[in-house]
Amino acid sequence: MQCIVNRRAQFSASHRYWLPELSEAENIEKFGACSRFPGHGHNYVLFISLTGELDEYGMVLNLSDVKHVIKREVTSQLDFSYLNDAWAEFQQTLPTTENIARIIWQRLAPHLPLVRVQLFEHPELWADYMGNAMEAYLTISTHFSAAHRLAHPNLSNEENTEIYGKCARPHGHGHNYHLEVTVKGEIDPRTGMLVDLGALNQVIDDYVVEPFDHTFLNKDIPYFAEVVPTAENIALYISNLLRSPIQELGAKLYKVKLIESPNNSCEIYCTESESNSVSATGNQPVLASV
């Protein structure tokens, strides 16, 4: 029986985004604070996903062996290092989160049956790499606080209460929403970036966080005057808002995950098919899970 197992590891390291072929002003413009000398550091958290058949002992792999491989090939070399100098690969392509994940895959692939390398630079930024050449995924996590009422405008209070329960109460209720935006793209062979991170953060702030934060969604966001602001509909609307500006940055919106509470979350996957894409004609991404 096929099974995927995951092993966690961690390392602390510093890095700097700086291209010697650019002037100081050009580096600052491209990389912002990340270009500052002598660099900055992170406590990286690494998840290695492995696949295989269950053996007679109920294991895919001996995780003790996996631990030693990860330590030998990766963490012992990167822990307390300056990443730009740690591996030769980072002389050619800068040690961004997505590129570090790619190189870790290359280092581990000869030794382990990998299916994914996931690297957290910090809790609000992480990358996923699945072995597809220069293709990677980058996720930004952010949040906003808002109130809403679940009530269809064409139904009576009694009908809405029957459908939505306490969430239909006329004065609404609030949530601290957590939002995860995942983009997909090709890692630039020189900068190591699949997208300008500062620009991506700005797009998410401009199109979602600032307009949504501290609002009553039903009244302050015109779209929700007629559309019930369930978590699913909010995530779908956010995906509509973000797809085009992210595409203008040279990446593709892959997933929007909205966490309404510790008990409720939903995910919208934006596919390449015409029926599930977002465009000026109003096509929608697919609702994957709730």
Side-chain angles (χ1 to χ4, degrees), residues 38-95:
H40 60 283
H42 300 284
N43 295 315
Y44 291 94
V45 179
L46 175 65
F47 292 93
I48 304 298
S49 298
L50 311 163
T51 186
E53 298 280 343
L54 288 178
D55 65 18
E56 59 182 310
Y57 305 109
M59 297 188 295
V60 172
L61 293 162
N62 186 311
L63 289 183
S64 179
D65 294 339
V66 172
K67 173 185 175 181
H68 289 301
V69 169
I70 295 172
K71 182 177 181 179
R72 183 186 72 235
E73 300 296 328
V74 177
T75 56
S76 66
Q77 300 179 42
L78 298 186
D79 199 25
F80 289 88
S81 74
Y82 178 56
L83 293 172
N84 300 61
D85 295 336
W87 285 344
E89 292 92 334
F90 297 142
Q91 299 295 314
Q92 178 63 35
T93 308
L94 293 178

Side-chain angles (χ1 to χ4, degrees), residues 60-257:
V60 172
L61 293 162
N62 186 311
L63 289 183
S64 179
D65 294 339
V66 172
K67 173 185 175 181
H68 289 301
V69 169
I70 295 172
K71 182 177 181 179
R72 183 186 72 235
E73 300 296 328
V74 177
T75 56
S76 66
Q77 300 179 42
L78 298 186
D79 199 25
F80 289 88
S81 74
Y82 178 56
L83 293 172
N84 300 61
D85 295 336
W87 285 344
E89 292 92 334
F90 297 142
Q91 299 295 314
Q92 178 63 35
T93 308
L94 293 178
T96 61
T97 314
E98 54 267 46
N99 194 46
I100 299 169
R102 181 179 72 94
I103 302 304
I104 287 174
W105 175 290
Q106 293 178 354
R107 295 278 177 139
L108 291 177
H111 311 284
L112 297 171
L114 302 175
V115 291
R116 182 178 70 172
V117 169
Q118 184 177 64
L119 182 66
F120 283 76
E121 185 173 281
H122 54 71
E124 295 182 349
L125 177 67
W126 63 93
D128 292 90
Y129 182 78
M130 274 78 91
N132 298 322
M134 297 297 280
E135 181 183 271
Y137 301 79
L138 194 67
T139 300
I140 289 177
S141 174
T142 186
H143 61 88
F144 60 90
S145 299
H148 67 166
R149 180 191 180 214
L150 302 188
H152 195 285
N154 297 331
L155 299 179
S156 67
N157 286 336
E158 292 75 15
E159 290 171 319
N160 277 310
T161 300
E162 183 178 351
I163 295 170
Y164 298 112
K166 292 186 291 185
C167 294
R169 290 176 178 174
H171 296 295
H173 61 283
H175 296 286
N176 294 316
Y177 291 95
H178 288 266
L179 174 66
E180 296 175 6
V181 177
T182 302
V183 301
K184 172 184 175 182
E186 297 285 319
I187 297 173
D188 184 277
R190 189 67 182 107
T191 67
M193 294 180 169
L194 68 86
V195 68
D196 184 316
L197 186 57
L200 179 59
N201 271 306
Q202 194 64 54
V203 162
I204 295 170
D205 283 345
D206 290 346
Y207 283 83
V208 181
V209 177
E210 286 301 320
F212 282 53
D213 194 33
H214 286 75
T215 64
F216 193 114
L217 294 171
N218 307 62
K219 298 183 179 295
D220 295 324
I221 305 296
Y223 179 80
F224 293 117
E226 300 296 329
V227 176
V228 182
T230 60
E232 298 93 319
N233 275 335
I234 298 169
L236 186 61
Y237 182 54
I238 289 173
S239 71
N240 277 326
L241 293 174
L242 292 179
R243 180 180 170 99
S244 180
I246 286 175
Q247 194 163 7
E248 290 176 5
L249 297 178
K252 296 178 182 177
L253 180 62
Y254 175 71
K255 182 179 74 171
V256 169
K257 180 176 182 179

